[in-house]
Amino acid sequence: MGYKLAIVGLGGMGGWHYENITKRIDEIDVVGAYDIREEVRPHIEALGLKCYNSLEELVNDKEIDIVTIATPNDVHKDIAITCMRHGKHVVCEKPVTMNAQELEEVMAVQKETGKLFSVHQNRRWDKDYVIIKKVIEEQMIGKACMIENRVQGSRQAMHGWRAYKINGGGMMLDWGVHLVDQLLDMIPAPVVDVYADLHALYSEEVDDNLKVMLKFENEVSAIVEVATNCFINQARWHVIGEEGTAVINDWSCNGQIVKLNTEEAMEWADAIVYTEAGPTRTMAPRPSETTINLPLPEATSDWTDYYKNIVSVLDGTAELIVKPEQCLRVMKVIDAIFKSQEKKTSISCCI
């Protein structure tokens, strides 16, 4: 069975949804779009799409089955509620709403209407994430203890509405929401402590550089870091486990696993090593024969699985992958992050 889809907000991400659904998702036909900007109308018409004059006109079009929302963040809630109350299934760009309370309102309407509602947390399908999730879940380096999840760039700028607080701009809600979602999807334990350090180096209103520390109930610690002013990047992922370390350096998934070679004796461990910083035992380089270097595991991923899952759910053959309840946890953690920044202290919680 095929489904007809309309997009609200045909900007950068809306255009991305159009291009990729049209080229790669056979079961969905993008037939229309609505954007409040008059200058976008000729582009919509040039694509051969029906150009709606208002959201009301779109939601009253009985031909439309699914609406993808790709607008600034502050209007996600109202558009999603309007669409579901008019019988449409909804895919919403991230962050799903401005805060957890708004999402709870959306979820109440989803329950009331029985329509599908999902959030486009597409970076669960990033290859680097799929690999590191496999490393952690299969305990390839033993039990994970400390996870660093970061993206870093040096453009020193926020673009368009993302620079404005009223629209839900800032790096926490732009990139941070992805990294928090990845961690919560991967670690099967509640977040019990949150500490945030957010900076506005180049923006007058919103955060553009951040570091967040999360503590989970199972004793795993995680760092979420997003930078727009970093000229020497650190690893995309750095994970310390009880038996080794895993590193993914970049989105091309260059990296490695280094593990203990348990067959080697430990007599060397008590030896004092003299370095340029003086004598040390604890921080001395480990002899190469005591470790083994392994390649990262193979993993395949495809973002189209997100929309294919939407189709399968509507066909009644699968369970929704990105569930509203999961996204509510993410938004509650983000609420705690902003609260920690405001109070300038860590926030105890159970999320």
Side-chain angles (χ1 to χ4, degrees):
M1 179 179 179
Y3 298 92
K4 296 188 182 301
L5 182 145
I7 298 170
V8 179
L10 201 67
M13 281 308 301
W16 186 90
H17 282 276
Y18 167 77
E19 288 290 333
N20 285 280
I21 294 171
T22 300
K23 293 177 180 178
R24 302 180 65 190
I25 309 294
D26 294 337
E27 301 88 348
I28 298 177
D29 185 16
V30 182
V31 298
Y34 167 63
D35 198 296
I36 63 171
R37 298 167 298 171
E38 285 294 325
E39 64 269 25
V40 179
R41 295 180 62 86
H43 175 58
I44 295 173
E45 293 169 348
L47 293 174
L49 301 176
K50 182 174 182 179
C51 184
Y52 297 98
N53 295 306
S54 65
L55 180 64
E56 181 180 12
E57 182 183 357
L58 186 156
V59 296
N60 282 306
D61 186 346
K62 301 201 180 299
E63 181 184 38
I64 299 301
D65 304 299
I66 308 167
V67 176
T68 291
I69 302 171
T71 64
N73 304 327
D74 57 313
V75 292
H76 286 179
K77 181 194 81 168
D78 290 342
I79 295 174
I81 287 174
T82 298
C83 289
M84 287 189 289
R85 284 193 167 145
H86 282 79
K88 311 304 182 189
H89 305 292
V90 172
V91 169
C92 185
E93 259 302 331
K94 60 76 204 173
V96 56
T97 50
M98 298 282 278
N99 51 55
Q101 182 178 339
E102 285 192 355
L103 179 52
E104 287 173 337
E105 294 178 46
V106 174
M107 290 171 65
V109 175
Q110 187 274 326
K111 185 175 182 181
E112 166 196 322
T113 61
K115 308 312 292 184
L116 178 147
F117 179 77
S118 184
V119 183
H120 189 238
Q121 288 289 2
N122 57 303
R123 296 202 175 274
R124 292 193 197 179
W125 284 268
D126 282 4
K127 187 175 180 180
D128 61 274
Y129 173 64
V130 174
I131 289 172
I132 210 70
K133 184 178 182 183
K134 182 180 181 70
V135 169
I136 291 172
E137 290 185 343
E138 296 184 12
Q139 296 195 357
M140 294 181 179
I141 53 172
K143 180 181 180 295
C145 304
M146 302 182 71
I147 303 171
E148 298 178 22
N149 182 7
R150 63 171 56 86
V151 291
Q152 296 173 316
S154 59
R155 295 290 182 99
Q156 300 180 334
M158 304 291 292
H159 299 284
W161 59 264
R162 289 173 177 82
Y164 299 100
K165 185 174 182 179
I166 192 172
N167 296 129
M171 282 292 103
M172 187 65 243
L173 289 174
D174 189 37
W175 265 101
V177 65
H178 280 308
L179 306 191
V180 171
D181 179 74
Q182 288 176 335
L183 290 168
L184 297 192
D185 181 56
M186 181 167 52
I187 304 172
V191 176
V192 294
D193 195 77
V194 174
Y195 180 78
D197 187 16
L198 278 57
H199 297 267
L201 301 183
Y202 301 99
S203 170
E204 295 181 0
E205 296 187 16
V206 297
D207 60 278
D208 50 31
N209 287 263
L210 63 94
K211 182 173 284 188
V212 174
M213 279 67 75
L214 303 178
K215 185 73 172 182
F216 290 82
E217 191 176 59
N218 62 357
E219 299 300 320
V220 174
S221 295
I223 291 175
V224 170
E225 185 171 357
V226 181
T228 61
N229 188 45
C230 184
F231 291 84
I232 302 174
N233 287 357
Q234 297 169 276
R236 172 71 185 86
W237 293 92
H238 188 282
V239 182
I240 297 175
E242 292 179 343
E243 300 171 8
T245 302
V247 172
I248 299 180
N249 292 313
D250 47 40
W251 280 310
S252 297
C253 297
N254 298 302
Q256 64 177 326
I257 293 173
V258 180
K259 294 183 64 174
L260 284 171
N261 185 352
T262 54
E263 295 181 1
E264 291 297 326
M266 295 287 288
E267 289 83 1
W268 61 269
D270 288 330
I272 296 176
V273 175
Y274 291 87
T275 70
E276 291 186 12
T280 179
R281 285 192 182 97
T282 305
M283 296 302 166
R286 176 182 282 275
S288 60
E289 65 270 16
T290 68
T291 60
I292 52 175
N293 290 43
L294 301 171
L296 295 167
E298 293 294 325
T300 57
S301 64
D302 191 334
W303 81 268
T304 59
D305 288 343
Y306 175 85
Y307 269 108
K308 288 177 181 178
N309 174 247
I310 297 296
V311 170
S312 296
V313 172
L314 294 178
D315 287 346
T317 60
E319 183 177 317
L320 192 63
I321 293 175
V322 183
K323 300 177 176 62
E325 294 79 10
Q326 297 171 334
C327 298
L328 183 59
R329 283 191 68 213
V330 172
M331 294 313 301
K332 286 181 176 179
V333 169
I334 290 177
D335 286 351
I337 288 169
F338 286 130
K339 184 177 179 181
S340 171
Q341 175 68 14
E342 178 186 354
K343 301 294 185 182
K344 299 188 184 304
T345 187
S346 62
I347 302 296
S348 296
C349 53
C350 185
I351 300 171

